Amino acid sequence: MTTINSNIGSDPYISDDHNNNRRDGMVNLQRDRMVATSNSNTPGPSFQSNRPPLAPLSTALSTSSDHFQPLPRSIVSPSSANLKPNRANSNSSVANTQLRVKTTDEETEDGRIRNREAAAKIRDAWIYKQIRARSAEFTSIQKAKMFVGTWNVNAKISDRLEPWLCAHWGPNSEHAPDVVAVGFQEIVDLNAVNVAVDNKTQQRSQYWVDKIKLALHSRPNSPKYTMLVYKHLVGLLLCVFVKSSHHNRVKHLHAESVGVGVMGMMGNKGAVCVRLQFYDSTLCFVCSHLAAHRENVQGRNADFYNIMAKTAFDVGEDAVRESIQNGSLQMWFSGNSYVSIPDHDIVVWLGDLNYRIDESIPCETVIDWSTRANLEDLRVNDQLNIERNAGRAFDGFQEGLLNFKPTYKYQPGTDEYDQRPEKKIRAPAWCDRILWMCNDASHLHLLTYASTQELNASDHKPVMASFIATIKDVIQPKREAVYGEVMRVLDKFENQSLPMVGLDRVFLDFGELRYEQKLTLPIRVTNTGKVVALFRFVPKIDEVEVCKPWITVSPMYGMLIPGESDTTIKFTVTIDNVTANALSTGREMLEDILILRLENGRDYYITITGQYARSCFGMSVDELVMYAEPIRNIPLDPIRRAEYVENNISSGATAAALCVPKELWRIIDAIYQKGLHNKDLFTTAGSPDEVNEIRECLDTGSAFGEFDIHSMTEILISFLSNLSSPIVPRTMFPSIEVDSQNIQYLARKFLEELPPIHYNVFVYIISFFRECLVHKERNMLSVAKLARICCNCLAIGTQGANYLDDTSASIQRRAGMQTIMTHFLETTSI
């Protein structure tokens, strides 16, 4: 067998690795008093209790175009951890991956329950697990060069592609790649006709295919290339080539397209994907064009997750079984012949991802930085870097260092950023990117990551990356020999008697659990019989899932041969915001029973229980104002809670409803006492340990310790973001465009429609933030920062982030809400 590339060490190209000011026609924002649901004589928490009142809204400073670093997304945005893709590969966890079978369980005459299909699948999984562990005995490792390029051509054409595709080949093509993947975006205008009919894409696709072929065979001593496939979707095109000498080692080739544009399905935005088996490694290339507009980061994140979720290749059972034999079990879990993007050894994602420089940086500053190649400041404020670091998009992907100038937006035909006065000036950005993800991080080594200035037909510059890929080549005779040895070991223990296992316990008491706490307890399973024991968790009768959503089990199934060491099943209970809300309202209890089924044997019942230490987090402000006592003292059971409240009111121990939740007042008062002049207020993250301690103080009524002010501000943002219902209901988002003509009317209408307690909290928070702006020269805050915080915390919240979409109407409504928040922070009247 020939080595794909035996000259790796000699490669010389390895690298070191809004708004208008709303000032006129304004009246006082604050009403004469907060609206309370109680008697007007009932005292409630306020700023006035321990310190001078907040400055009137009329004294707050108006917005300015301050230069500031972007806020940490963990503070200003709801968490998107629940949206993260599950990296599906042979080394990943199998937690909560339920075994899928097509046949129903059978009950034998002696009462035993079994499923032959499940038993066969688990048996196969164990066999392949043993073979995978010995894969080094039958796998030859080869090296291949890979070139990946992406270019948004803006519906233009170019006669020559050699400066891009062949930039690092060497004088005699000695570094020509073995695999070439080239992606284009906007090969046609993305107008309504092209999106709906897609009638020009085929012709333009053939043009670019011909140009790629011409470029690949234009150099001295150019190797011969074979095009494997090209796939297009409106303006998207992805072409994959290999050296003709490798063509016979390519199989299971499939291409798919996914539209995520208009209505979440049209092809003006989306991806085209190609997957193949190259020798015995699986490769996947994704060429995408994500949502536009500088402020639409969440839309781009949503497009990424939609593409990940919707893309599926029906590769057939033979391809799945071959992948399993070569060490990938994730495809086998699903019980069908479909594979997704992460189900590959190497995934490369390329295209116009449309991530810009953070919108907090003025356009003129971005142009200046880009022109002067001030790359460090640009990288720090790059939206994709920010989102990846926060785990909100492209989690698990890697990218080379951005050592080239932003590739957008250029004046076509030049190498200058477009600053023509008759055109809308757009901030330069690294829209065009190439990222990758591997089962084994060492299997893809980046050589170069660059753009070329020589091609200037478009307002984008082409981007290219070259890699050294580690490719598996299975030696079948050696693999069969290993398979035979494994089977001989297994055969000694099968067909003797019924399986038996021992569990060291069947009752798990997790004790007292707090908000955002995660706790894991193990159960050891031992094969106490003389035959192979196959076990799996199954749902209870008339149920679909094995356990409640707050429980995670790993592994969900397994196999033990006699004499094999114990296996440990880990049970994890997680109190997230959704679970906390269900527990606080009495809709859920920390109790469940799981069924562990022994194939061809008995069932074991595992009881899980725990007690929730009630928290103000995850509750609604309407309920929180009902309790003057610490929330930890309030019973979780709805009946006991009603009796508790009634008894306390009748005895006079509890006052009527508060104006705002006492927990909110305590947080804001503590921040005020520590000083609103502190630098980087609401920008610097707090200490996780202190945040947990502060939450415990709020829940128990204990006095605050000497906590850092940044921990206090983080707990404030977390408290507001994680309310079970946001202060501003989604129904109140403006349905029309907000401008200087209607802002006063919309702001007044907004306040009138807020429910009473929500109105109190809203005015309270706005008043506090306006007080913060008085010290903006020292704390580095600005109206724009605080408006964004208000929109994310008061109007969207953690749960609301799950329902965001990237339609133009949704984007307009969110932008309108942020404009209204800005108005309240700036105005002296309404």
Side-chain angles (χ1 to χ4, degrees), residues 265-315:
M265 59 182 292
M266 298 300 287
N268 60 312
K269 293 294 185 289
V272 287
C273 313
V274 171
R275 67 89 57 194
L276 64 140
Q277 183 172 319
F278 185 62
Y279 288 72
D280 290 295
S281 290
T282 53
L283 313 181
C284 181
F285 299 97
V286 182
C287 174
S288 70
H289 193 184
L290 306 186
H293 304 300
R294 191 177 181 189
E295 71 280 3
N296 194 17
V297 178
Q298 292 176 329
R300 289 184 274 281
N301 293 351
D303 284 352
F304 163 74
Y305 288 112
N306 281 334
I307 292 169
M308 290 287 283
K310 292 181 179 180
T311 303
F313 305 93
D314 188 359
V315 298

Side-chain angles (χ1 to χ4, degrees), residues 675-747:
L676 303 182
H677 59 276
N678 283 271
K679 187 178 180 182
D680 296 328
L681 204 62
F682 293 100
T683 301
T684 301
S687 163
D689 291 338
E690 286 192 358
V691 168
N692 291 332
E693 292 180 28
I694 296 170
R695 186 187 298 117
E696 188 69 9
C697 291
L698 292 172
D699 295 337
T700 61
S702 303
F704 290 142
E706 293 298 320
F707 299 126
D708 184 75
I709 191 170
H710 298 299
S711 299
M712 298 300 302
T713 57
E714 181 169 343
I715 206 75
L716 173 62
I717 298 303
S718 177
F719 175 83
L720 294 172
S721 299
N722 289 292
L723 292 170
S724 61
S725 57
I727 299 302
V728 181
R730 284 196 296 155
T731 55
M732 292 184 60
F733 277 59
S735 57
I736 61 175
E737 184 175 357
V738 181
D739 54 33
S740 59
Q741 302 300 318
N742 60 19
I743 183 65
Q744 292 187 34
Y745 164 76
L746 291 176

Side-chain angles (χ1 to χ4, degrees), residues 752-791:
E752 292 172 350
E753 293 181 355
L754 277 174
I757 300 302
H758 291 234
Y759 171 84
N760 292 347
V761 172
F762 180 78
V763 173
Y764 192 53
I765 294 299
I766 291 294
S767 301
F768 170 67
F769 281 156
R770 290 177 67 97
E771 181 75 4
C772 293
L773 288 172
V774 173
H775 307 275
K776 69 176 186 176
E777 297 300 327
R778 299 177 66 185
N779 60 28
M780 306 303 291
L781 285 175
S782 68
V783 172
K785 279 185 183 181
L786 292 180
R788 187 167 57 186
I789 293 176
C790 289
C791 189

